[in-house]
Amino acid sequence: MQVHNFSAGPCILPQEVMQQAAEAVRSFGPGGLSLIEMSHRSKEFVAVMDEARDLAKSLLSLPDRYEVLFLQGGASLGFLTAAYNLLPEGGRASYVDTGTWANNAIKEAKRLGSIDVIASSKATNHDHIPSFEAPANGSYLHITTNNTIFGTQYAELPTAGIPLVADMSSDIFSRSFNPEDYALIYAGAQKNMGPAGTVFYAVDPERLGHTGRDIPAYLDLQTHIAKDSMFNTPPVFPVYVTLLMLRWMRDQGGLQAMQERAAARSKAIYAEIDRNPLFVGHAAEGSRSQMNATFRLADGVDGAAFDQLWAEAGISGLKGHRSVGGYRASMYNALPLESVEVLVQTMQHFEQHHG
Ligand SMILES: *Cc1c(COP(=O)(O)O)cnc(C)c1O
């Protein structure tokens, strides 16, 4: 039976990407070497890294001077890396608290300087993107563009008089944005662009080197720029699978196509959440995520039959995060609309037979 994978991450990947990835583990380089047993300095792997970098830059329409890196440590190390590279000794930066990941970014940045939390949605369990006055001072404004756990997303990305820094882990490559607004973008690959094991960085190198800090080598983005993401042994397999996913997104029609697919999927699921009296959405209208739809059962509804129905329909990964409860349908780039249609039919079936 086909699996409809709504997992919040690691994410669904297209079947053709899986097949090519499996093939590369069997045989990739000269004489039939596996991708995972050959040198990262081989011309075959250097070509993988170069193509992944170039394709990411072109899909996101990054200006020429921007650098793209594929590193390790996940977005969780990105929280610290961002502050190390952009927050000067004794400096200030502004952060928006839109949920668990935003909070982790704040915690890490506080190790290095003064952090102003200029807005928070904490009081309502992060059910919306709070409005705020964009700061005019400070080194940067940090935002989490999509809040994976709570299912909220900036409908309009903010601009400020200072550079933006963004954790785009769970919505990168799903919509276009103006890269010139950003000093740094980082994203764990496993939400929307590949498997776990690598983290994507896009950085404006003109913003680097001004903190006055002695940055540990691995945390210094300039180290990795100088070495083309090969300062240490790169995660060859995750980078290769990410390249396959980037090619797949390009062949589907790039960001425009990803954006249209995301809009169609989220429209279908939210229409059903709003229509079906047995379900209640978590995120407020205007802040709803196109990537992660969070919802729960209406008061007094027993969900045991629903849990059985969706499992029988081949749906996987629908349980909500413990901090929100209920359900979360994560609809990343590779998820076909058909999977959302199966979920919607299952919700309707539940209403007809158990409502
Ligand atoms: C999952 C997630 C993270 C953490 O990513 P890791 O790669 O596991 O460190 C950070 N930010 C957002 C928005 C996420 O969804």
PDB file of all heavy atoms in Angstrom, residues 16-38 44-45 48 236-244 247:
ATOM      1  N   GLU A  16      11.678   8.847  -6.941  1.00  0.00           N
ATOM      2  CA  GLU A  16      12.810   8.810  -7.887  1.00  0.00           C
ATOM      3  C   GLU A  16      14.108   9.245  -7.209  1.00  0.00           C
ATOM      4  O   GLU A  16      15.183   8.766  -7.548  1.00  0.00           O
ATOM      5  CB  GLU A  16      12.536   9.612  -9.166  1.00  0.00           C
ATOM      6  CG  GLU A  16      12.127  11.056  -8.963  1.00  0.00           C
ATOM      7  CD  GLU A  16      10.614  11.259  -9.093  1.00  0.00           C
ATOM      8  OE1 GLU A  16       9.836  10.539  -8.420  1.00  0.00           O
ATOM      9  OE2 GLU A  16      10.211  12.142  -9.881  1.00  0.00           O
ATOM     10  N   VAL A  17      13.990  10.142  -6.233  1.00  0.00           N
ATOM     11  CA  VAL A  17      15.177  10.550  -5.466  1.00  0.00           C
ATOM     12  C   VAL A  17      15.696   9.364  -4.648  1.00  0.00           C
ATOM     13  O   VAL A  17      16.899   9.091  -4.611  1.00  0.00           O
ATOM     14  CB  VAL A  17      14.846  11.764  -4.564  1.00  0.00           C
ATOM     15  CG1 VAL A  17      15.924  11.981  -3.502  1.00  0.00           C
ATOM     16  CG2 VAL A  17      14.681  13.023  -5.424  1.00  0.00           C
ATOM     17  N   MET A  18      14.779   8.629  -4.015  1.00  0.00           N
ATOM     18  CA  MET A  18      15.184   7.436  -3.239  1.00  0.00           C
ATOM     19  C   MET A  18      15.910   6.432  -4.123  1.00  0.00           C
ATOM     20  O   MET A  18      16.921   5.851  -3.736  1.00  0.00           O
ATOM     21  CB  MET A  18      13.967   6.700  -2.672  1.00  0.00           C
ATOM     22  CG  MET A  18      13.072   7.523  -1.822  1.00  0.00           C
ATOM     23  SD  MET A  18      13.836   7.956  -0.282  1.00  0.00           S
ATOM     24  CE  MET A  18      12.373   8.618   0.495  1.00  0.00           C
ATOM     25  N   GLN A  19      15.363   6.217  -5.324  1.00  0.00           N
ATOM     26  CA  GLN A  19      15.962   5.221  -6.218  1.00  0.00           C
ATOM     27  C   GLN A  19      17.367   5.635  -6.643  1.00  0.00           C
ATOM     28  O   GLN A  19      18.294   4.828  -6.627  1.00  0.00           O
ATOM     29  CB  GLN A  19      15.082   5.021  -7.449  1.00  0.00           C
ATOM     30  CG  GLN A  19      14.067   3.918  -7.221  1.00  0.00           C
ATOM     31  CD  GLN A  19      12.844   4.065  -8.096  1.00  0.00           C
ATOM     32  OE1 GLN A  19      12.886   4.744  -9.119  1.00  0.00           O
ATOM     33  NE2 GLN A  19      11.755   3.436  -7.703  1.00  0.00           N
ATOM     34  N   GLN A  20      17.520   6.905  -7.001  1.00  0.00           N
ATOM     35  CA  GLN A  20      18.850   7.373  -7.413  1.00  0.00           C
ATOM     36  C   GLN A  20      19.818   7.341  -6.234  1.00  0.00           C
ATOM     37  O   GLN A  20      20.999   7.027  -6.405  1.00  0.00           O
ATOM     38  CB  GLN A  20      18.755   8.795  -7.976  1.00  0.00           C
ATOM     39  CG  GLN A  20      17.995   8.871  -9.292  1.00  0.00           C
ATOM     40  CD  GLN A  20      17.641  10.320  -9.650  1.00  0.00           C
ATOM     41  OE1 GLN A  20      18.504  11.185  -9.714  1.00  0.00           O
ATOM     42  NE2 GLN A  20      16.371  10.577  -9.864  1.00  0.00           N
ATOM     43  N   ALA A  21      19.322   7.665  -5.044  1.00  0.00           N
ATOM     44  CA  ALA A  21      20.180   7.633  -3.853  1.00  0.00           C
ATOM     45  C   ALA A  21      20.636   6.199  -3.576  1.00  0.00           C
ATOM     46  O   ALA A  21      21.807   5.954  -3.284  1.00  0.00           O
ATOM     47  CB  ALA A  21      19.427   8.211  -2.651  1.00  0.00           C
ATOM     48  N   ALA A  22      19.706   5.270  -3.682  1.00  0.00           N
ATOM     49  CA  ALA A  22      20.041   3.862  -3.444  1.00  0.00           C
ATOM     50  C   ALA A  22      21.068   3.389  -4.466  1.00  0.00           C
ATOM     51  O   ALA A  22      22.037   2.692  -4.130  1.00  0.00           O
ATOM     52  CB  ALA A  22      18.770   3.000  -3.510  1.00  0.00           C
ATOM     53  N   GLU A  23      20.885   3.789  -5.698  1.00  0.00           N
ATOM     54  CA  GLU A  23      21.811   3.398  -6.765  1.00  0.00           C
ATOM     55  C   GLU A  23      23.221   3.932  -6.484  1.00  0.00           C
ATOM     56  O   GLU A  23      24.221   3.230  -6.679  1.00  0.00           O
ATOM     57  CB  GLU A  23      21.276   3.912  -8.109  1.00  0.00           C
ATOM     58  CG  GLU A  23      22.117   3.574  -9.328  1.00  0.00           C
ATOM     59  CD  GLU A  23      22.509   2.103  -9.413  1.00  0.00           C
ATOM     60  OE1 GLU A  23      21.673   1.228  -9.082  1.00  0.00           O
ATOM     61  OE2 GLU A  23      23.668   1.849  -9.773  1.00  0.00           O
ATOM     62  N   ALA A  24      23.292   5.182  -5.977  1.00  0.00           N
ATOM     63  CA  ALA A  24      24.610   5.786  -5.705  1.00  0.00           C
ATOM     64  C   ALA A  24      25.329   5.078  -4.558  1.00  0.00           C
ATOM     65  O   ALA A  24      26.559   5.073  -4.510  1.00  0.00           O
ATOM     66  CB  ALA A  24      24.452   7.271  -5.386  1.00  0.00           C
ATOM     67  N   VAL A  25      24.569   4.479  -3.641  1.00  0.00           N
ATOM     68  CA  VAL A  25      25.200   3.713  -2.562  1.00  0.00           C
ATOM     69  C   VAL A  25      25.810   2.444  -3.146  1.00  0.00           C
ATOM     70  O   VAL A  25      26.889   2.004  -2.750  1.00  0.00           O
ATOM     71  CB  VAL A  25      24.181   3.377  -1.453  1.00  0.00           C
ATOM     72  CG1 VAL A  25      24.763   2.378  -0.454  1.00  0.00           C
ATOM     73  CG2 VAL A  25      23.753   4.654  -0.721  1.00  0.00           C
ATOM     74  N   ARG A  26      25.163   1.872  -4.135  1.00  0.00           N
ATOM     75  CA  ARG A  26      25.716   0.673  -4.790  1.00  0.00           C
ATOM     76  C   ARG A  26      26.927   1.021  -5.632  1.00  0.00           C
ATOM     77  O   ARG A  26      27.970   0.395  -5.524  1.00  0.00           O
ATOM     78  CB  ARG A  26      24.651   0.032  -5.684  1.00  0.00           C
ATOM     79  CG  ARG A  26      23.825  -0.952  -4.936  1.00  0.00           C
ATOM     80  CD  ARG A  26      23.122  -1.907  -5.868  1.00  0.00           C
ATOM     81  NE  ARG A  26      21.892  -2.294  -5.201  1.00  0.00           N
ATOM     82  CZ  ARG A  26      20.739  -1.697  -5.386  1.00  0.00           C
ATOM     83  NH1 ARG A  26      20.617  -0.743  -6.278  1.00  0.00           N
ATOM     84  NH2 ARG A  26      19.688  -2.081  -4.710  1.00  0.00           N
ATOM     85  N   SER A  27      26.789   2.007  -6.487  1.00  0.00           N
ATOM     86  CA  SER A  27      27.859   2.308  -7.434  1.00  0.00           C
ATOM     87  C   SER A  27      27.738   3.751  -7.895  1.00  0.00           C
ATOM     88  O   SER A  27      26.676   4.184  -8.347  1.00  0.00           O
ATOM     89  CB  SER A  27      27.715   1.352  -8.621  1.00  0.00           C
ATOM     90  OG  SER A  27      28.515   1.792  -9.687  1.00  0.00           O
ATOM     91  N   PHE A  28      28.833   4.474  -7.786  1.00  0.00           N
ATOM     92  CA  PHE A  28      28.789   5.893  -8.162  1.00  0.00           C
ATOM     93  C   PHE A  28      30.054   6.340  -8.885  1.00  0.00           C
ATOM     94  O   PHE A  28      30.001   6.960  -9.928  1.00  0.00           O
ATOM     95  CB  PHE A  28      28.577   6.743  -6.901  1.00  0.00           C
ATOM     96  CG  PHE A  28      28.373   8.205  -7.175  1.00  0.00           C
ATOM     97  CD1 PHE A  28      27.152   8.677  -7.631  1.00  0.00           C
ATOM     98  CD2 PHE A  28      29.409   9.121  -6.986  1.00  0.00           C
ATOM     99  CE1 PHE A  28      26.959  10.023  -7.894  1.00  0.00           C
ATOM    100  CE2 PHE A  28      29.222  10.478  -7.256  1.00  0.00           C
ATOM    101  CZ  PHE A  28      28.000  10.924  -7.707  1.00  0.00           C
ATOM    102  N   GLY A  29      31.207   6.004  -8.311  1.00  0.00           N
ATOM    103  CA  GLY A  29      32.474   6.534  -8.830  1.00  0.00           C
ATOM    104  C   GLY A  29      33.203   5.558  -9.736  1.00  0.00           C
ATOM    105  O   GLY A  29      32.641   4.550 -10.175  1.00  0.00           O
ATOM    106  N   PRO A  30      34.470   5.858  -9.993  1.00  0.00           N
ATOM    107  CA  PRO A  30      35.270   5.042 -10.899  1.00  0.00           C
ATOM    108  C   PRO A  30      35.359   3.590 -10.439  1.00  0.00           C
ATOM    109  O   PRO A  30      35.526   3.343  -9.235  1.00  0.00           O
ATOM    110  CB  PRO A  30      36.662   5.695 -10.852  1.00  0.00           C
ATOM    111  CG  PRO A  30      36.571   6.892  -9.989  1.00  0.00           C
ATOM    112  CD  PRO A  30      35.234   6.943  -9.360  1.00  0.00           C
ATOM    113  N   GLY A  31      35.206   2.660 -11.354  1.00  0.00           N
ATOM    114  CA  GLY A  31      35.315   1.241 -11.015  1.00  0.00           C
ATOM    115  C   GLY A  31      34.177   0.743 -10.154  1.00  0.00           C
ATOM    116  O   GLY A  31      34.280  -0.309  -9.535  1.00  0.00           O
ATOM    117  N   GLY A  32      33.097   1.509 -10.068  1.00  0.00           N
ATOM    118  CA  GLY A  32      31.939   1.046  -9.304  1.00  0.00           C
ATOM    119  C   GLY A  32      32.022   1.315  -7.811  1.00  0.00           C
ATOM    120  O   GLY A  32      31.301   0.708  -7.019  1.00  0.00           O
ATOM    121  N   LEU A  33      32.862   2.251  -7.370  1.00  0.00           N
ATOM    122  CA  LEU A  33      32.909   2.617  -5.949  1.00  0.00           C
ATOM    123  C   LEU A  33      31.562   3.190  -5.512  1.00  0.00           C
ATOM    124  O   LEU A  33      30.904   3.894  -6.268  1.00  0.00           O
ATOM    125  CB  LEU A  33      33.971   3.696  -5.711  1.00  0.00           C
ATOM    126  CG  LEU A  33      35.448   3.290  -5.687  1.00  0.00           C
ATOM    127  CD1 LEU A  33      36.309   4.535  -5.489  1.00  0.00           C
ATOM    128  CD2 LEU A  33      35.709   2.273  -4.583  1.00  0.00           C
ATOM    129  N   SER A  34      31.199   2.898  -4.275  1.00  0.00           N
ATOM    130  CA  SER A  34      29.992   3.491  -3.701  1.00  0.00           C
ATOM    131  C   SER A  34      30.255   4.957  -3.366  1.00  0.00           C
ATOM    132  O   SER A  34      31.377   5.327  -2.987  1.00  0.00           O
ATOM    133  CB  SER A  34      29.618   2.739  -2.421  1.00  0.00           C
ATOM    134  OG  SER A  34      28.691   3.507  -1.669  1.00  0.00           O
ATOM    135  N   LEU A  35      29.219   5.756  -3.469  1.00  0.00           N
ATOM    136  CA  LEU A  35      29.327   7.170  -3.061  1.00  0.00           C
ATOM    137  C   LEU A  35      29.847   7.298  -1.630  1.00  0.00           C
ATOM    138  O   LEU A  35      30.580   8.232  -1.315  1.00  0.00           O
ATOM    139  CB  LEU A  35      27.944   7.832  -3.164  1.00  0.00           C
ATOM    140  CG  LEU A  35      27.813   9.253  -2.602  1.00  0.00           C
ATOM    141  CD1 LEU A  35      28.504  10.266  -3.509  1.00  0.00           C
ATOM    142  CD2 LEU A  35      26.350   9.640  -2.436  1.00  0.00           C
ATOM    143  N   ILE A  36      29.480   6.350  -0.762  1.00  0.00           N
ATOM    144  CA  ILE A  36      29.837   6.505   0.657  1.00  0.00           C
ATOM    145  C   ILE A  36      31.159   5.845   1.020  1.00  0.00           C
ATOM    146  O   ILE A  36      31.513   5.771   2.188  1.00  0.00           O
ATOM    147  CB  ILE A  36      28.705   6.033   1.600  1.00  0.00           C
ATOM    148  CG1 ILE A  36      28.341   4.580   1.359  1.00  0.00           C
ATOM    149  CG2 ILE A  36      27.482   6.919   1.440  1.00  0.00           C
ATOM    150  CD1 ILE A  36      27.348   4.035   2.387  1.00  0.00           C
ATOM    151  N   GLU A  37      31.918   5.408   0.029  1.00  0.00           N
ATOM    152  CA  GLU A  37      33.257   4.870   0.326  1.00  0.00           C
ATOM    153  C   GLU A  37      34.328   5.584  -0.487  1.00  0.00           C
ATOM    154  O   GLU A  37      35.466   5.140  -0.537  1.00  0.00           O
ATOM    155  CB  GLU A  37      33.311   3.359   0.056  1.00  0.00           C
ATOM    156  CG  GLU A  37      33.094   3.001  -1.404  1.00  0.00           C
ATOM    157  CD  GLU A  37      33.317   1.525  -1.712  1.00  0.00           C
ATOM    158  OE1 GLU A  37      33.798   0.779  -0.851  1.00  0.00           O
ATOM    159  OE2 GLU A  37      33.011   1.132  -2.850  1.00  0.00           O
ATOM    160  N   MET A  38      33.958   6.686  -1.149  1.00  0.00           N
ATOM    161  CA  MET A  38      34.989   7.356  -1.944  1.00  0.00           C
ATOM    162  C   MET A  38      35.380   8.702  -1.345  1.00  0.00           C
ATOM    163  O   MET A  38      34.694   9.255  -0.501  1.00  0.00           O
ATOM    164  CB  MET A  38      34.554   7.524  -3.399  1.00  0.00           C
ATOM    165  CG  MET A  38      33.142   7.900  -3.610  1.00  0.00           C
ATOM    166  SD  MET A  38      32.646   7.857  -5.317  1.00  0.00           S
ATOM    167  CE  MET A  38      33.379   9.366  -5.899  1.00  0.00           C
ATOM    168  N   GLU A  44      34.475  13.405  -8.744  1.00  0.00           N
ATOM    169  CA  GLU A  44      33.038  13.083  -8.787  1.00  0.00           C
ATOM    170  C   GLU A  44      32.293  13.769  -7.634  1.00  0.00           C
ATOM    171  O   GLU A  44      31.218  14.324  -7.826  1.00  0.00           O
ATOM    172  CB  GLU A  44      32.811  11.566  -8.697  1.00  0.00           C
ATOM    173  CG  GLU A  44      33.205  10.790  -9.940  1.00  0.00           C
ATOM    174  CD  GLU A  44      34.722  10.542 -10.047  1.00  0.00           C
ATOM    175  OE1 GLU A  44      35.458  10.816  -9.075  1.00  0.00           O
ATOM    176  OE2 GLU A  44      35.156  10.091 -11.118  1.00  0.00           O
ATOM    177  N   PHE A  45      32.865  13.711  -6.417  1.00  0.00           N
ATOM    178  CA  PHE A  45      32.125  14.342  -5.321  1.00  0.00           C
ATOM    179  C   PHE A  45      32.240  15.856  -5.343  1.00  0.00           C
ATOM    180  O   PHE A  45      31.275  16.563  -5.015  1.00  0.00           O
ATOM    181  CB  PHE A  45      32.509  13.793  -3.937  1.00  0.00           C
ATOM    182  CG  PHE A  45      31.594  14.388  -2.898  1.00  0.00           C
ATOM    183  CD1 PHE A  45      30.280  13.954  -2.803  1.00  0.00           C
ATOM    184  CD2 PHE A  45      32.000  15.456  -2.113  1.00  0.00           C
ATOM    185  CE1 PHE A  45      29.377  14.564  -1.930  1.00  0.00           C
ATOM    186  CE2 PHE A  45      31.110  16.065  -1.231  1.00  0.00           C
ATOM    187  CZ  PHE A  45      29.798  15.610  -1.135  1.00  0.00           C
ATOM    188  N   VAL A  48      29.528  17.061  -7.277  1.00  0.00           N
ATOM    189  CA  VAL A  48      28.244  17.023  -6.555  1.00  0.00           C
ATOM    190  C   VAL A  48      28.087  18.291  -5.716  1.00  0.00           C
ATOM    191  O   VAL A  48      27.051  18.983  -5.771  1.00  0.00           O
ATOM    192  CB  VAL A  48      28.164  15.769  -5.643  1.00  0.00           C
ATOM    193  CG1 VAL A  48      27.016  15.890  -4.645  1.00  0.00           C
ATOM    194  CG2 VAL A  48      28.013  14.508  -6.496  1.00  0.00           C
ATOM    195  N   VAL A 236      28.777  13.384   2.876  1.00  0.00           N
ATOM    196  CA  VAL A 236      28.672  13.169   1.421  1.00  0.00           C
ATOM    197  C   VAL A 236      27.295  12.642   0.998  1.00  0.00           C
ATOM    198  O   VAL A 236      26.731  13.107   0.002  1.00  0.00           O
ATOM    199  CB  VAL A 236      29.791  12.246   0.887  1.00  0.00           C
ATOM    200  CG1 VAL A 236      31.148  12.931   0.973  1.00  0.00           C
ATOM    201  CG2 VAL A 236      29.830  10.927   1.629  1.00  0.00           C
ATOM    202  N   PHE A 237      26.768  11.704   1.748  1.00  0.00           N
ATOM    203  CA  PHE A 237      25.492  11.126   1.324  1.00  0.00           C
ATOM    204  C   PHE A 237      24.337  12.136   1.460  1.00  0.00           C
ATOM    205  O   PHE A 237      23.599  12.350   0.486  1.00  0.00           O
ATOM    206  CB  PHE A 237      25.212   9.818   2.085  1.00  0.00           C
ATOM    207  CG  PHE A 237      24.011   9.096   1.569  1.00  0.00           C
ATOM    208  CD1 PHE A 237      23.977   8.591   0.274  1.00  0.00           C
ATOM    209  CD2 PHE A 237      22.888   8.929   2.375  1.00  0.00           C
ATOM    210  CE1 PHE A 237      22.847   7.943  -0.220  1.00  0.00           C
ATOM    211  CE2 PHE A 237      21.760   8.276   1.894  1.00  0.00           C
ATOM    212  CZ  PHE A 237      21.742   7.783   0.595  1.00  0.00           C
ATOM    213  N   PRO A 238      24.167  12.792   2.620  1.00  0.00           N
ATOM    214  CA  PRO A 238      23.107  13.811   2.698  1.00  0.00           C
ATOM    215  C   PRO A 238      23.251  14.924   1.654  1.00  0.00           C
ATOM    216  O   PRO A 238      22.245  15.394   1.113  1.00  0.00           O
ATOM    217  CB  PRO A 238      23.242  14.371   4.113  1.00  0.00           C
ATOM    218  CG  PRO A 238      23.848  13.263   4.894  1.00  0.00           C
ATOM    219  CD  PRO A 238      24.779  12.554   3.947  1.00  0.00           C
ATOM    220  N   VAL A 239      24.480  15.325   1.363  1.00  0.00           N
ATOM    221  CA  VAL A 239      24.654  16.384   0.359  1.00  0.00           C
ATOM    222  C   VAL A 239      24.222  15.864  -1.020  1.00  0.00           C
ATOM    223  O   VAL A 239      23.541  16.559  -1.773  1.00  0.00           O
ATOM    224  CB  VAL A 239      26.110  16.907   0.321  1.00  0.00           C
ATOM    225  CG1 VAL A 239      26.340  17.826  -0.878  1.00  0.00           C
ATOM    226  CG2 VAL A 239      26.439  17.644   1.617  1.00  0.00           C
ATOM    227  N   TYR A 240      24.564  14.620  -1.323  1.00  0.00           N
ATOM    228  CA  TYR A 240      24.172  14.071  -2.620  1.00  0.00           C
ATOM    229  C   TYR A 240      22.642  13.947  -2.737  1.00  0.00           C
ATOM    230  O   TYR A 240      22.052  14.319  -3.755  1.00  0.00           O
ATOM    231  CB  TYR A 240      24.825  12.704  -2.859  1.00  0.00           C
ATOM    232  CG  TYR A 240      24.430  12.111  -4.192  1.00  0.00           C
ATOM    233  CD1 TYR A 240      24.793  12.730  -5.383  1.00  0.00           C
ATOM    234  CD2 TYR A 240      23.651  10.950  -4.261  1.00  0.00           C
ATOM    235  CE1 TYR A 240      24.412  12.207  -6.608  1.00  0.00           C
ATOM    236  CE2 TYR A 240      23.268  10.424  -5.487  1.00  0.00           C
ATOM    237  CZ  TYR A 240      23.649  11.056  -6.656  1.00  0.00           C
ATOM    238  OH  TYR A 240      23.259  10.550  -7.870  1.00  0.00           O
ATOM    239  N   VAL A 241      22.011  13.455  -1.683  1.00  0.00           N
ATOM    240  CA  VAL A 241      20.543  13.306  -1.749  1.00  0.00           C
ATOM    241  C   VAL A 241      19.882  14.689  -1.837  1.00  0.00           C
ATOM    242  O   VAL A 241      18.880  14.870  -2.534  1.00  0.00           O
ATOM    243  CB  VAL A 241      20.002  12.489  -0.557  1.00  0.00           C
ATOM    244  CG1 VAL A 241      18.494  12.304  -0.673  1.00  0.00           C
ATOM    245  CG2 VAL A 241      20.686  11.127  -0.483  1.00  0.00           C
ATOM    246  N   THR A 242      20.475  15.671  -1.151  1.00  0.00           N
ATOM    247  CA  THR A 242      19.962  17.038  -1.269  1.00  0.00           C
ATOM    248  C   THR A 242      20.100  17.534  -2.710  1.00  0.00           C
ATOM    249  O   THR A 242      19.178  18.170  -3.243  1.00  0.00           O
ATOM    250  CB  THR A 242      20.706  17.972  -0.289  1.00  0.00           C
ATOM    251  OG1 THR A 242      20.480  17.507   1.041  1.00  0.00           O
ATOM    252  CG2 THR A 242      20.225  19.406  -0.407  1.00  0.00           C
ATOM    253  N   LEU A 243      21.220  17.221  -3.341  1.00  0.00           N
ATOM    254  CA  LEU A 243      21.378  17.592  -4.753  1.00  0.00           C
ATOM    255  C   LEU A 243      20.273  16.953  -5.610  1.00  0.00           C
ATOM    256  O   LEU A 243      19.676  17.615  -6.461  1.00  0.00           O
ATOM    257  CB  LEU A 243      22.756  17.169  -5.286  1.00  0.00           C
ATOM    258  CG  LEU A 243      22.915  17.243  -6.813  1.00  0.00           C
ATOM    259  CD1 LEU A 243      22.729  18.667  -7.325  1.00  0.00           C
ATOM    260  CD2 LEU A 243      24.267  16.689  -7.252  1.00  0.00           C
ATOM    261  N   LEU A 244      19.981  15.680  -5.343  1.00  0.00           N
ATOM    262  CA  LEU A 244      18.919  15.013  -6.121  1.00  0.00           C
ATOM    263  C   LEU A 244      17.583  15.724  -5.925  1.00  0.00           C
ATOM    264  O   LEU A 244      16.799  15.891  -6.862  1.00  0.00           O
ATOM    265  CB  LEU A 244      18.794  13.545  -5.704  1.00  0.00           C
ATOM    266  CG  LEU A 244      20.007  12.653  -5.976  1.00  0.00           C
ATOM    267  CD1 LEU A 244      19.775  11.261  -5.387  1.00  0.00           C
ATOM    268  CD2 LEU A 244      20.296  12.560  -7.477  1.00  0.00           C
ATOM    269  N   ARG A 247      17.577  18.990  -7.842  1.00  0.00           N
ATOM    270  CA  ARG A 247      17.307  18.729  -9.268  1.00  0.00           C
ATOM    271  C   ARG A 247      15.819  18.455  -9.490  1.00  0.00           C
ATOM    272  O   ARG A 247      15.222  18.916 -10.453  1.00  0.00           O
ATOM    273  CB  ARG A 247      18.096  17.510  -9.754  1.00  0.00           C
ATOM    274  CG  ARG A 247      19.565  17.761  -9.980  1.00  0.00           C
ATOM    275  CD  ARG A 247      20.155  16.454 -10.510  1.00  0.00           C
ATOM    276  NE  ARG A 247      21.600  16.491 -10.586  1.00  0.00           N
ATOM    277  CZ  ARG A 247      22.351  15.382 -10.564  1.00  0.00           C
ATOM    278  NH1 ARG A 247      21.798  14.183 -10.458  1.00  0.00           N
ATOM    279  NH2 ARG A 247      23.666  15.479 -10.649  1.00  0.00           N
TER     280      ARG A 247
END
